[in-house]
Amino acid sequence: MLNLILFGTPGSGKGTQSVKIAEKYKLGHISTGDIFRSEIKSKTELGLKVQKIIERGCLVSDEMLIEILDNAMKKFSDVEGFVLDGFPRTIRQAEELDELLGSRNECVSLVLALDVNPDEVLHRLMKRAAQEGRKDDTEEVIKKRLNVYYHQTSPLIEYYQKQGKYKSVHGIGSVEDIFENICNTIQTVR
Ligand code: B4P
C-alpha cells in the first residue's frame, strides 16, 4: 500500500495535486477540508459544530479528526493506498494516524511537502476568494490560517524528518511541472 501525506501551508496546492496523485496511483483521496465543507453545506450536526471554527481560520479539535479519518478510509474499497490532503495538522493527529495505520498493518509511506512562499499563498488564495467566495479566504483569515500552520502544523516537519519520510518539492510553477516532480519523488519509495 502507498500511503502519502500531502503537506504544506494553506494554498500550497495540496488539494490540486492530491486529485492528480489519487487518479494516477489509484489511491483513495481524503481531504479533511472537503469533508468539512460538505458537512457545512448539508448543515449536518458536524457541519454546524465546525462552521464557526473554520470560518475563523482555526483548527477543528483533534478529538473529532481521527474518527472522521477512520470513517473516510472505510468508505474506500479496491484502492492501493491513500493520499491524505490536509491531515495530519498537529502532532497528536500524526500520532493517532500512526496508530490507525498500524492497526491495519500499514504505515505512512511518504510525506510530500509543497514548498511555496507566503506571498504566493496569499496571492493564490485571494484569487480563489474572488472566484469561489470561500468564507475562510479573506485576507485576515488567510493570515490567521498561516499563523496556525506555523504554530500548530509545522512541528510535523521534524516529526516526519526523524522518521526519514519527509521530502520537499518546489511548489511554484505550472500544476503539471509540480506534478511531474511529485511523481519522480514518489518513485523513490516504490
Ligand atoms: P483545507 O481545505 O485543507 O484548506 P487549505 O489548506 O487552504 O488547502 P486547499 O486544498 O484548499 O488549497 P490548495 O493548496 O489546493 O482546510 C480548510 C480548513 O478546514 C482549515 O483551515 C481547518 O479549519 C479545517 N481543517 C481541515 N483539516 C483539518 C485537520 N486535519 N485538523 C483540524 N482542522 C482541519 O490550493 C489553493 C489555491 O491555489 C487553489 O485556488 C488552486 O487553484 C491554486 N493553485 C494550486 N496549485 C497552483 C499552482 N501551481 N500555481 C498557481 N495556483 C495554484
Side-chain angles (χ1 to χ4, degrees):
M1 297 294 255
L2 180 66
N3 292 314
L4 300 175
I5 294 172
L6 248 271
F7 190 81
T9 62
S12 56
K14 302 185 296 287
T16 307
Q17 297 293 339
S18 293
V19 172
K20 296 172 74 64
I21 296 169
E23 192 188 355
K24 175 163 174 157
Y25 294 96
K26 300 186 175 58
L27 307 179
H29 173 207
I30 300 178
S31 158
T32 43
D34 284 351
I35 293 173
F36 289 135
R37 280 185 288 277
S38 151
E39 298 279 334
I40 291 169
K41 201 170 166 205
S42 308
K43 296 190 167 52
T44 64
E45 196 183 327
L46 173 65
L48 294 172
K49 252 189 216 165
V50 301
Q51 184 167 13
K52 288 261 166 354
I53 301 172
I54 290 180
E55 286 175 4
R56 284 202 312 267
C58 301
L59 292 184
V60 174
S61 75
D62 291 334
E63 285 75 20
M64 284 190 211
L65 258 297
I66 197 72
E67 196 185 332
I68 288 167
L69 183 81
D70 193 18
N71 289 337
M73 280 181 162
K74 285 177 185 151
K75 285 188 187 147
F76 286 97
S77 57
D78 281 342
V79 288
E80 295 176 18
F82 293 95
V83 53
L84 303 181
D85 160 10
F87 183 95
R89 266 174 152 99
T90 63
I91 296 280
R92 174 148 170 226
Q93 290 179 18
E95 288 169 348
E96 290 188 341
L97 174 64
D98 285 343
E99 263 180 49
L100 178 66
L101 290 174
S103 70
R104 301 161 67 113
N105 288 321
E106 291 176 41
C107 64
V108 171
S109 316
L110 178 67
V111 179
L112 271 165
L114 290 168
D115 187 14
V116 178
N117 61 60
D119 286 348
E120 169 73 10
V121 161
L122 194 60
H123 169 75
R124 285 184 189 181
L125 294 181
M126 291 307 289
K127 192 171 158 200
R128 183 170 70 186
Q131 289 164 348
E132 297 176 22
R134 241 172 76 170
K135 288 229 171 89
D136 58 348
D137 278 347
T138 64
E139 187 166 353
E140 189 192 340
V141 179
I142 294 164
K143 285 183 175 156
K144 167 75 182 170
R145 284 159 63 200
L146 282 171
N147 202 22
V148 166
Y149 168 84
Y150 291 117
H151 284 98
Q152 292 178 256
T153 305
S154 69
L156 287 174
I157 296 173
E158 197 187 340
Y159 181 87
Y160 287 115
Q161 275 173 338
K162 278 188 186 155
Q163 295 184 15
K165 291 179 176 170
Y166 185 87
K167 298 226 165 123
S168 181
V169 171
H170 185 56
I172 298 182
S174 76
V175 169
E176 285 312 322
D177 284 350
I178 296 166
F179 183 57
E180 195 183 325
N181 283 337
I182 286 176
C183 295
N184 291 337
T185 309
I186 292 174
Q187 289 317 316
T188 63
V189 298
R190 292 209 94 195

